[in-house]
Amino acid sequence: MNMMSLAELNQALQSKQISSVELTEFFLARIAAHEPELNSFITTTPEQALRMAQAADQRLAKGDAPNLCGIPMAHKDIFCTDGVLTTCGSKMLANFTAPYDAHIVSQFKALDMPVLGKTNMDEFAMGSSNESSFFGAVKNPWSLDRVPGGSSGGSAAAVAAGLTPFATGSDTGGSIRQPASFCGISGLKPTYGLASRFGMIAYASSFDQAGPMAQSAQDLALTLDVMHSFDLRDSTSLDQPKPDYVAALAQPLAGLRIGVPTSYFGEGLDADVKKVIETAIAEYEKLGAELVAVELPNQAHAVAAYYILAPAEASSNLSRFDGVRYGHRCEDPKDLADLYGRSRAEGFGIEVQKRIMLGAYALSAGYYDAYYLKAQKVRRLIQQDFLSAFEQCDVIMGPVAPTPAFKLGEKSDDPLSMYLADLYTIPVNLAGLPAMSLPAGQVKGMPVGLHLVGPYFSEAKLLNVAHQYQLHTDWHLQRAPMAQGAAL
């Protein structure tokens, strides 16, 4: 049952071949069996999940249940969930139980989709390997000595291991797409503002975007249909008409113009990864697409600009965690300054402290113009590069990451190398564009993802382009060893 798509699970539930309670019990059993070695969940909620499954079965019995009703899922632990521990992977929030649901959580709850638990993540979504979590590193189900990617590594690993059919993630600089690539699943970052950020704990507010992570483009289309929702409680939420994402999957690719940036295939890209991506793009040519060379001249500055702007926003957003209102509080503070200082020093991990300091420095008097303002100008240039490229093509394709998943601890002492793991994904967040990763091959037994980038609000086109590829290839059907051999 863990090998079935969301569409197949939906059909099985709607036709009463299986109950939601049976399905939920199956995935809870898989979590219990594999979690000790994978560490993809911070919190599991079996009692709540089974209650929701019972409610779903009652709805299904009436014959008027919506699509996805009764299918279990998991939320990245960055989304507030009423009455459930919401930690953001940090000691700072290790004791925080959310008093309300994030908008996205409430959207799925309205469908009576049982929530299996909250997935592990890099602390406050800061990381590319899921090693900065206070609750320990997540392992890649394809090889337990390798990282799953970050920061949504727990969601990616759980889906890839067959512990949940689908999970939510968030993407600030590649945090859905890079772990999707490393774990051999599909992941989508929507246009900034398409999915509500209400109740999603902020890292960098002008970058953060929620999105779905699942096995295939078809699964992503089903879940994006739920996540695409205008929300008055989020001032950046866009009241954008919702297309029929599932119906759009069937469009043929004839006449599709694929932009291929020459800069994506130069120095720094692993030779074997390059071959995988070139082979995938060649498959699109066979399906009737046309290749167009495009230039993105300012992409080389994206990582530098991002690591000024995102930490600057983080230094402001994380100032609310002070030991006074909620979260970790130091013992026996001498005075208010001691309370602030020790609570934050004890509650935040090294990576988070480093980014807060970097952001505060970039925003300080005398350095704002030299760093922050200049980085904002670079951000605009990167956006203009993409807009110019999309005058010549419909989508842009390239690698998601320079390498397949690297080994645990391999880059822990080399932050620059770690940051460069998001070299190809960060420019998309700077511009606020939609993008996705889909499985396109393997290098030495480890998955490699193909990166698709589209113009604003082109999610339906991206999913269509990915789905047509998946109809003619089987990389999305390849399963991690941990996911194989299980049946209901």
Side-chain angles (χ1 to χ4, degrees):
M1 201 60 70
N2 60 303
M3 309 289 275
M4 294 173 68
S5 69
L6 289 182
E8 291 168 334
L9 290 173
N10 188 63
Q11 176 60 31
L13 285 165
Q14 297 283 351
S15 62
K16 300 178 178 59
Q17 298 173 38
I18 187 174
S19 71
S20 179
V21 168
E22 290 174 317
L23 193 59
T24 301
E25 288 176 338
F26 171 76
F27 282 105
L28 287 171
R30 284 193 56 77
I31 291 171
H34 295 291
E35 253 311 277
E37 56 182 345
L38 197 62
N39 198 33
S40 62
F41 281 83
I42 291 174
T43 302
T44 54
T45 53
E47 296 85 2
Q48 182 191 85
L50 289 170
R51 285 198 304 272
M52 295 178 75
Q54 290 167 357
D57 282 335
Q58 292 175 5
R59 200 168 177 181
L60 287 160
K62 296 177 182 177
D64 59 354
N67 282 334
L68 304 183
C69 177
I71 299 178
M73 62 169 296
H75 285 297
K76 183 177 180 179
D77 204 22
I78 200 169
F79 296 102
C80 287
T81 41
D82 189 11
V84 178
L85 201 63
T86 301
T87 72
C88 221
S90 179
K91 180 180 178 180
M92 180 60 79
L93 290 176
N95 62 356
F96 176 67
T97 298
Y100 65 96
D101 282 328
H103 180 76
I104 283 171
V105 171
S106 65
Q107 292 293 104
F108 287 107
K109 184 180 283 189
L111 301 179
D112 286 319
M113 296 182 70
V115 178
L116 301 168
K118 309 289 290 296
T119 57
N120 205 343
M121 57 179 286
D122 279 302
E123 185 180 8
F124 283 100
M126 299 182 193
S128 303
S129 65
N130 223 133
E131 294 175 288
S132 72
S133 171
F134 173 68
F135 301 93
V138 178
K139 316 298 192 304
N140 190 314
W142 287 84
S143 180
L144 294 176
D145 64 345
R146 293 182 181 270
V147 304
S151 64
S152 305
S155 290
V159 172
L163 307 189
T164 179
F166 148 70
T168 56
S170 67
D171 195 310
T172 305
S175 292
I176 286 175
R177 293 159 288 152
Q178 186 244 32
S181 175
F182 281 7
C183 291
I185 65 169
S186 302
L188 173 70
K189 182 205 96 66
T191 300
Y192 180 79
L194 197 74
S196 171
R197 292 186 301 110
F198 177 79
M200 184 172 79
I201 298 172
Y203 161 21
S205 301
S206 73
F207 295 84
D208 299 340
Q209 184 59 66
M213 305 179 78
Q215 292 291 354
S216 68
Q218 183 184 37
D219 289 353
L220 295 180
L222 286 165
T223 52
L224 183 62
D225 185 64
V226 181
M227 298 180 80
H228 180 162
S229 173
F230 177 61
D231 181 12
L232 285 170
R233 296 169 298 181
D234 174 7
S235 62
T236 61
S237 180
L238 300 172
D239 192 2
Q240 185 72 12
K242 185 194 300 185
D244 189 332
Y245 292 114
V246 176
L249 297 174
Q251 295 296 319
L253 295 185
L256 178 73
R257 298 173 301 163
I258 298 174
V260 182
T262 54
S263 59
Y264 282 8
F265 295 88
E267 184 180 355
L269 179 63
D270 179 89
D272 292 327
V273 171
K274 180 180 179 182
K275 290 177 184 177
V276 168
I277 300 305
E278 289 175 340
T279 301
I281 294 175
E283 181 66 30
Y284 275 103
E285 281 192 286
K286 296 177 185 176
L287 297 175
E290 171 193 355
L291 302 190
V292 179
V294 296
E295 298 297 330
L296 301 170
N298 293 290
Q299 302 291 290
H301 309 302
V303 173
Y306 175 86
Y307 279 102
I308 290 173
L309 298 175
E313 294 186 21
S315 70
S316 175
N317 280 327
L318 271 61
S319 64
R320 71 194 68 177
F321 303 110
D322 53 13
V324 175
R325 288 159 290 189
Y326 47 77
H328 176 75
R329 181 186 179 100
C330 70
E331 293 185 4
D332 302 320
K334 298 177 182 177
D335 51 34
L336 194 59
D338 185 46
L339 170 65
Y340 288 164
R342 283 203 291 127
S343 295
R344 289 169 66 82
E346 294 168 7
F348 291 136
I350 295 299
E351 183 63 30
V352 174
Q353 292 185 35
K354 184 164 50 180
R355 297 197 193 194
I356 290 173
M357 291 173 66
L358 179 62
Y361 180 81
L363 291 174
S364 61
Y367 297 101
Y368 179 92
D369 289 347
Y371 296 109
Y372 183 81
L373 188 60
K374 188 174 291 185
Q376 288 285 27
K377 292 178 179 178
V378 171
R379 183 179 195 175
R380 176 53 63 90
L381 292 174
I382 289 170
Q383 179 194 42
Q384 290 173 344
D385 285 349
F386 278 117
L387 295 178
S388 297
F390 286 127
E391 292 177 359
Q392 308 169 55
C393 64
D394 302 307
V395 297
I396 291 172
M397 291 189 185
V400 175
T403 66
F406 44 89
K407 290 191 174 182
L408 289 159
E410 181 179 331
K411 299 189 178 185
S412 299
D413 297 326
D414 187 359
L416 181 58
S417 177
M418 182 81 78
Y419 295 164
L420 289 174
D422 296 326
L423 174 67
Y424 304 113
T425 55
I426 279 174
V428 171
N429 296 82
L430 286 163
L433 294 166
M436 67 176 294
S437 172
L438 66 152
Q442 294 179 6
V443 171
K444 298 176 182 177
M446 296 304 296
V448 172
L450 175 67
H451 197 208
L452 308 185
V453 184
Y456 296 113
F457 310 114
S458 64
E459 287 81 3
K461 170 58 72 174
L462 290 178
L463 291 166
N464 161 237
V465 171
H467 179 67
Q468 291 300 312
Y469 176 82
Q470 292 179 339
L471 288 177
H472 293 85
T473 63
D474 66 353
W475 293 113
H476 66 293
L477 300 177
Q478 304 296 315
R479 296 292 188 265
M482 189 178 287
Q484 297 174 9
L488 184 64

